[in-house]
Amino acid sequence: RAKQQDSLLKNLKSNDRVVTSSGIVGIVISVKDKSVTLRSADSKLEVLKSAVTEITEKSGAGEAANP
């Protein structure tokens, strides 16, 4: 499980849609060493990378399905 989480965090990129451990759903704006900046609704949030639990949509994946 720890290896899976580590791999997930290494693959974070801008425009990925993610879910945090507190249930916040957002789109990654930027990735720093220990934190990630997210856009959720009209808010911009900075959260620890370790709070990201899931990538629900990789960047670029949604555009191809919806022309």
Side-chain angles (χ1 to χ4, degrees):
R1 177 104 173 112
K3 287 181 184 179
Q4 183 181 15
Q5 179 71 6
D6 191 45
S7 173
L8 176 112
L9 297 180
K10 285 181 181 175
N11 291 318
L12 273 178
K13 293 184 176 40
S14 291
N15 295 319
D16 286 351
R17 183 177 294 271
V18 298
V19 178
T20 68
S21 57
S22 60
I24 296 170
V25 177
I27 297 173
V28 176
I29 297 172
S30 65
V31 180
K32 298 179 185 171
D33 283 344
K34 296 190 181 233
S35 65
V36 178
T37 304
L38 302 176
R39 183 175 59 243
S40 181
D42 293 331
S43 301
K44 184 176 173 184
L45 309 163
E46 185 172 5
V47 298
L48 292 176
K49 271 187 175 180
S50 59
V52 176
T53 57
E54 182 181 356
I55 299 175
T56 58
E57 186 178 305
K58 295 296 283 176
S59 60
E63 288 99 34
N66 299 324

